[in-house]
Amino acid sequence: MRGQKTPSSSSSSSSSWFSHFCSSALRTKPVNSPLDTVLVSRNSTDALVRRLGLLDLILIGVGASIGAGIFVVTGTVARDAGPGVTCSFILAGLSCVLNALCYAELASRLPAVVGGAYLYAYSAFNELTAFLVFGQLMIDYHIGAASIARSLASYVVTILEMFPVFKDNIPSWIGHGGEEFFGGTLSINLLAPFLLALLTVILCLGVGESSIVNSFMTVLKVIIVIIVIFVGAFEVDVSNWSPFAPHGVKEILTGATIVFFAYVGFDAVANSAEESRRPQRDLPLAIIGSLLICIALYIGVCLVITGMVPYYLLGEDAPLAEAFSSKGLKFVSILISIGAVAGLTTTLLVGLYVQSRLYLGLGRDGLLPSLFSKVHPTRHTPIHSQVWVGIVAGALGGLFNVHMLSHILSVGALTGYSVVSACVLALRWKDKTLYLLLLLFVVVKLTPTLQGFRVLGVPIVPAVCVFFNMFLFAQLHHEAWVRFVVLSVIMVGIYAFYGQYHAKPGSDESIIYQRAPSEATR
């Protein structure tokens, strides 16, 4: 009858929808060759501005990493792993070194625009994979920002309570822990969202202004960390290192998955590509350089803190400050609290910065509403994206307990890094001539040829990287696996009902491109 759908027409419609879904999901983002690296025009009102030099990028990487690991997670993981927390940081660091090499190659090979792991997956694999990578990474960033904001609030209150007028007069719901409801499921904290709002305003002012804040506070905290290592070395009691792994190797491996999030700084560098002055040269150097600096500092602090105080006596909120206070070094603990505020501030600042650039990339590609692709005409910052990530992190940080949120971290980082390593294999396979040539080498080097940086030893290095990441993935708590599966299903649903119909992988209509000047690609 007229107006009624027959079974055959319904079946045809379903088949057509599924066919469109599959063809859309398998689309890739066309990229220029390395010789055609592009820059966003400074004359475009929707363009970001290239203001970041090599030192700025290194400080972004260090600023994103040093803070969460040293000032927050150290005490939590050490309670389970004991002095073996040092090995947890080393294992996570080794995995990240391999990942950093793959990031460095892709950063110099693909166009210097926002996107990072999302862009690499879109170019090497397909649209749906890239969207799933974005979802997993973004949840890590959102939860990480909320967790760090609460820790930062705790440190700020600790410093305020050094003054008699504030001593024991600041309620828990303002910033010291939180006022718990429903058995601890909700934990109200007002200072965390306030700090997030303040940093969001700084980021909206412009990349130049936020870079100055990040550089100053990163240098300050690195100096303080070095002082801590030097002074603490004289207070180490080697008997505290025995037993080294009181709860076995399993806890060390589990600890490695938790502290893995502390090394996400080089991912932040990759997402700064569109604002880098000389992306092909500076991005690989900044990615690897910042990671090596962080690994050295983490190892030094872990050895000192577990040597000063028995692991089971370490605090979870401010382990470094409490360790020095127990030794009568009050002046050092005060210095540490200041460094912690600086460290957590830069980690939070860079985390919010990266999130907004990821949203900007998906807004441009149509996988998210075009509102996220808007850039302020004078500030040259994605203000809508920046405000959105501030609101999400503020809601999480103001309502939920840090310890509860930390159990599902690292999933996005491990997923993203594994995909990036696989991207190197995929892109090399597509370029068979280059792939066969590079199989002969087992080291890495800089070259002035088509790529600024190449991972030699392919396919061994990327394959080992993927295997190591998956090994760490297997150590995650079951809550993290549930989060991975549930979020993947949700992201597929969003893509099926929105993304596949609005995506424009080959469209550059929202920004204007021009060939990079020669000095930018040297």
Side-chain angles (χ1 to χ4, degrees):
M1 295 176 63
R2 182 178 299 178
Q4 292 184 342
K5 290 185 178 181
T6 65
S8 60
S9 64
S10 178
S11 175
S12 175
S13 176
S14 298
S15 177
S16 176
W17 180 89
F18 183 74
S19 176
H20 183 273
F21 175 84
C22 291
S23 62
S24 300
L26 296 177
R27 289 183 299 206
T28 60
K29 187 176 182 66
V31 296
N32 299 77
S33 69
L35 291 178
D36 294 324
T37 300
V38 293
L39 288 176
V40 179
S41 171
R42 295 179 185 271
N43 297 321
S44 171
T45 58
D46 287 326
L48 302 179
V49 177
R50 296 191 180 273
R51 293 178 177 173
L52 303 177
L54 177 59
L55 181 59
D56 296 315
L57 293 172
I58 290 176
L59 291 176
I60 284 176
V62 176
S65 298
I66 301 299
I70 287 182
F71 300 117
V72 179
V73 184
T74 313
T76 303
V77 179
R79 281 178 167 271
D80 295 325
V85 66
T86 303
C87 293
S88 295
F89 274 96
I90 292 175
L91 286 173
L94 289 175
S95 178
C96 285
V97 166
L98 298 179
N99 284 286
L101 296 177
C102 296
Y103 262 88
E105 171 169 327
L106 297 177
S108 64
R109 174 171 185 159
L110 299 179
V113 293
V114 295
Y118 156 78
L119 171 66
Y120 307 152
Y122 208 162
S123 303
F125 293 116
N126 55 64
E127 193 168 280
L128 181 57
T129 300
F131 193 59
L132 291 174
V133 168
F134 161 79
Q136 297 293 345
L137 280 173
M138 193 52 60
I139 290 299
D140 261 19
Y141 274 118
H142 282 320
I143 295 175
S147 174
I148 295 167
R150 291 178 71 95
S151 296
L152 176 58
S154 180
Y155 269 103
V156 170
V157 171
T158 299
I159 291 179
L160 290 176
E161 288 183 339
M162 293 179 182
F163 300 94
V165 67
F166 293 112
K167 184 66 174 177
D168 299 325
N169 290 326
I170 300 179
S172 60
W173 53 267
I174 287 185
H176 221 349
E179 188 72 24
E180 296 186 349
F181 298 92
F182 305 110
T185 302
L186 290 181
S187 179
I188 305 301
N189 185 312
L190 297 185
L191 185 55
F194 172 79
L195 295 172
L196 284 162
L198 181 62
L199 293 179
T200 297
V201 171
I202 293 175
L203 287 164
C204 288
L205 292 177
V207 68
E209 290 77 1
S210 58
S211 178
I212 291 173
V213 174
N214 177 71
S215 298
F216 171 76
M217 302 196 84
T218 298
V219 171
L220 173 64
K221 70 179 177 181
V222 169
I223 291 175
I224 290 176
V225 169
I226 293 174
I227 293 174
V228 166
I229 295 173
F230 180 77
V231 175
F234 292 96
E235 300 293 334
V236 168
D237 180 355
V238 294
S239 66
N240 289 329
W241 290 338
S242 181
F244 191 74
H247 303 297
V249 177
K250 171 69 175 179
E251 291 299 334
I252 292 178
L253 296 178
T254 301
T257 66
I258 296 174
V259 304
F260 194 91
F261 183 74
Y263 289 110
V264 299
F266 63 87
D267 181 61
V269 176
N271 278 283
S272 305
E274 195 169 312
E275 290 159 295
S276 169
R277 293 173 187 166
R278 295 173 295 276
Q280 279 198 300
R281 187 202 73 170
D282 290 351
L283 288 178
L285 293 174
I287 287 171
I288 297 174
S290 62
L291 179 58
L292 293 178
I293 291 172
C294 292
I295 291 175
L297 294 177
Y298 281 133
I299 293 175
V301 169
C302 285
L303 289 173
V304 166
I305 192 174
T306 55
M308 289 178 62
V309 179
Y311 71 92
Y312 50 84
L313 295 180
L314 288 173
E316 293 190 19
D317 293 328
L320 278 176
E322 292 175 11
F324 277 89
S325 294
S326 68
K327 294 293 183 178
L329 299 172
K330 187 67 175 179
F331 74 97
V332 178
S333 64
I334 294 175
L335 191 62
I336 289 172
S337 295
I338 296 174
V341 170
L344 293 171
T345 298
T346 57
T347 304
L348 192 54
L349 184 74
V350 175
L352 294 173
Y353 164 83
V354 171
Q355 292 175 55
S356 68
R357 271 54 182 179
L358 281 171
Y359 275 105
L360 172 63
L362 270 83
R364 286 174 173 174
D365 292 334
L367 288 169
L368 290 178
S370 60
L371 178 69
F372 292 110
S373 68
K374 304 300 182 183
V375 176
H376 194 276
T378 57
R379 294 294 179 182
H380 296 283
T381 56
I383 289 183
H384 296 98
S385 296
Q386 198 68 72
V387 171
W388 165 252
V389 300
I391 291 174
V392 173
L396 291 174
L399 296 175
F400 296 101
N401 183 275
V402 177
H403 181 70
M404 181 188 69
L405 297 176
S406 66
H407 284 296
I408 58 175
L409 287 179
S410 296
V411 178
L414 287 168
T415 302
Y417 296 169
S418 298
V419 171
V420 168
S421 299
C423 285
V424 173
L425 291 171
L427 291 175
R428 292 287 189 87
W429 184 257
K430 291 178 181 179
D431 188 357
K432 291 185 175 63
T433 302
L434 183 61
Y435 173 78
L436 293 175
L437 176 64
L438 297 183
L439 269 176
L440 302 176
F441 297 88
V442 292
V443 294
V444 298
K445 67 178 181 178
L446 290 172
T447 70
T449 56
L450 294 182
Q451 284 177 231
F453 185 93
R454 297 188 298 189
V455 180
L456 304 183
V458 173
I460 297 175
V461 170
V464 169
C465 184
V466 172
F467 174 80
F468 200 87
N469 289 339
M470 292 299 97
F471 176 74
L472 290 178
F473 207 125
Q475 312 305 315
L476 292 174
H477 293 283
H478 73 276
E479 294 96 337
W481 286 87
V482 172
R483 161 242 155 124
F484 176 80
V485 174
V486 171
L487 181 61
S488 295
V489 172
I490 293 173
M491 295 302 292
V492 170
I494 294 174
Y495 178 80
F497 291 100
Y498 182 87
Q500 67 166 319
Y501 300 110
H502 297 83
K504 42 187 179 181
S507 174
D508 291 327
E509 61 185 26
S510 62
I511 48 177
I512 301 174
Y513 291 104
Q514 63 182 21
R515 188 179 297 275
S518 58
E519 66 268 21
T521 57
R522 289 176 185 171

